[in-house]
Amino acid sequence: MMMSDKRTGRVVALLASVMMLTPDLGRAGTKTAKPMQPSTVFNAEKRKKTKHDIGQHLSYSMYSSFRYQSENNRRRDDGIDDHTEEYALYLGFVGRADLGRGVIAFGHAELDTRSKSTQDRRYDLATQWKTKEAFVSFKVAAQAHVIVGRMRFSDPHKWVADLAVDGVHYGHKGKQQVTEFAVFRGTGDVTASYLMAHHGRVMDQNRYGILALLENDSPDTRAHLAGYANVFVSKKVSYELNLGAVIGDAANGKNAGFGIDVRSIRKFGTSDLNPQMMFGFAAGTEGYR
């Protein structure tokens, strides 16, 4: 996409958050399963839950987590046996205020402390404060909301992508379909501006949808189109199909790029650990990256 690998990865992750929807396999294939909900890009009601109440209108939660990540021989064609190790500690705070008449204020901030080392060097301990969400949601109809502020471009079923954006969002969500429009700008390494439209449906415990993004990252302008389908064979087996296209100022000097991702997910048991195995295939042209 004619930008650095880091920024390109963030934009691709932004798309992947909607394109690749990880299903909750425990819902399908049982008579008592809850009806599946259509997936939304921005959803003020499906974020971190608050567990402690302060009066009738205020609530909050705090949490902590630890992560260790190790990668070896990441670039297999450069002749270097490289590796990376990273330790990270997260401390987070979530606050929610019910202001009445369908108006909700929500905030989610996180303190991130991590250390990183590679085959060449060890980096100093780094600490940063992230405002992941800070918005006000207005209920404008029985099934429609307008969100203003800092939001998370992601999907409640997914955990690998978490990108904060600033903007305005309108969403209309029913029992079987959702329609969304948004204008927003990226934060951090992603400095582009976007226009977004998304429509998703649920049919017989399966999800389908299409997403369109118009991106302006001066001087480059490009359009992203993505379609997804989640097909549930049983409560333990499901399939995903994701198709994507980039048109305009694509990567590597190309005018367009195309990508496909096909995968099968097999769940083992129904424990809280939710063990599962995934088999997949993904390919893309030079312009898609």
Side-chain angles (χ1 to χ4, degrees):
M1 296 181 184
M2 300 181 70
M3 61 182 72
S4 67
D5 288 343
K6 183 177 181 182
R7 290 179 58 190
T8 299
R10 295 293 295 276
V11 174
V12 172
L14 184 148
L15 281 172
S17 63
V18 180
M19 291 172 60
M20 303 174 187
L21 306 177
T22 300
D24 182 354
L25 301 178
R27 294 183 181 180
T30 61
K31 295 182 179 180
T32 59
K34 295 181 180 179
M36 181 178 293
Q37 296 294 316
S39 292
T40 57
V41 181
F42 300 104
N43 192 332
E45 299 177 352
K46 295 295 184 180
R47 296 312 185 198
K48 288 284 187 180
K49 298 296 185 181
T50 51
K51 300 179 180 180
H52 306 288
D53 296 328
I54 304 176
Q56 297 182 346
H57 303 288
L58 299 175
S59 58
Y60 73 95
S61 288
M62 299 182 69
Y63 65 90
S64 63
S65 62
F66 176 79
R67 177 174 64 86
Y68 168 74
Q69 179 176 313
S70 177
E71 296 179 283
N72 293 279
N73 202 17
R74 293 174 297 145
R75 298 180 180 178
R76 301 183 62 185
D77 58 350
D78 62 0
I80 301 175
D81 185 15
D82 56 343
H83 64 270
T84 300
E85 287 189 341
E86 185 173 355
Y87 300 85
L89 175 65
Y90 303 94
L91 300 174
F93 175 82
V94 181
R96 181 186 181 100
D98 185 352
L99 305 180
R101 297 189 177 183
V103 180
I104 298 173
F106 184 85
H108 179 192
E110 189 174 80
L111 183 65
D112 176 351
T113 300
R114 65 181 64 196
S115 64
K116 180 179 179 180
S117 63
T118 68
Q119 73 279 0
D120 297 324
R121 59 178 295 188
R122 177 179 294 274
Y123 295 86
D124 295 334
L125 189 68
T127 301
Q128 62 178 335
W129 177 266
K130 294 181 181 179
T131 301
K132 305 182 76 170
E133 293 178 275
F135 62 78
V136 179
S137 173
F138 303 88
K139 188 174 183 179
V140 295
Q143 298 177 329
H145 290 80
V146 172
I147 304 174
V148 180
R150 174 158 294 185
M151 308 167 288
R152 283 171 59 193
F153 190 105
S154 61
D155 183 276
H157 305 279
K158 200 71 174 174
W159 58 268
V160 298
D162 183 5
L163 183 65
V165 299
D166 296 328
V168 179
H169 167 266
Y170 168 82
H172 185 280
K173 181 181 178 181
K175 292 182 179 181
Q176 293 184 311
Q177 63 181 0
V178 61
T179 301
E180 300 175 276
F181 301 96
V183 179
F184 55 92
R185 183 177 180 85
T187 61
D189 295 324
V190 181
T191 58
S193 299
Y194 298 88
L195 294 175
M196 186 209 79
H198 169 240
H199 180 74
R201 295 183 63 86
V202 169
M203 297 177 63
D204 299 327
Q205 294 294 312
N206 302 316
R207 290 193 188 96
Y208 308 88
I210 186 169
L211 167 75
L213 276 174
L214 180 62
E215 176 188 5
N216 179 260
D217 189 13
S218 183
D220 300 327
T221 300
R222 59 186 65 89
H224 304 270
L225 301 175
Y228 60 85
N230 302 131
V231 179
F232 293 85
V233 178
S234 69
K235 65 180 180 180
K236 293 185 177 181
V237 179
S238 68
Y239 296 92
E240 296 183 15
L241 171 64
N242 305 285
L243 302 173
V246 181
I247 303 171
D249 296 311
N252 300 314
K254 304 297 182 179
N255 294 324
F258 305 91
I260 182 173
D261 182 316
V262 182
R263 63 182 67 184
S264 173
I265 300 176
R266 174 67 162 86
K267 182 179 179 181
F268 301 95
T270 58
S271 68
D272 292 337
L273 294 177
N274 192 28
Q276 60 186 24
M277 181 175 294
M278 179 185 297
F279 301 91
F281 169 80
T285 65
E286 283 188 273
Y288 190 74
R289 187 174 285 177

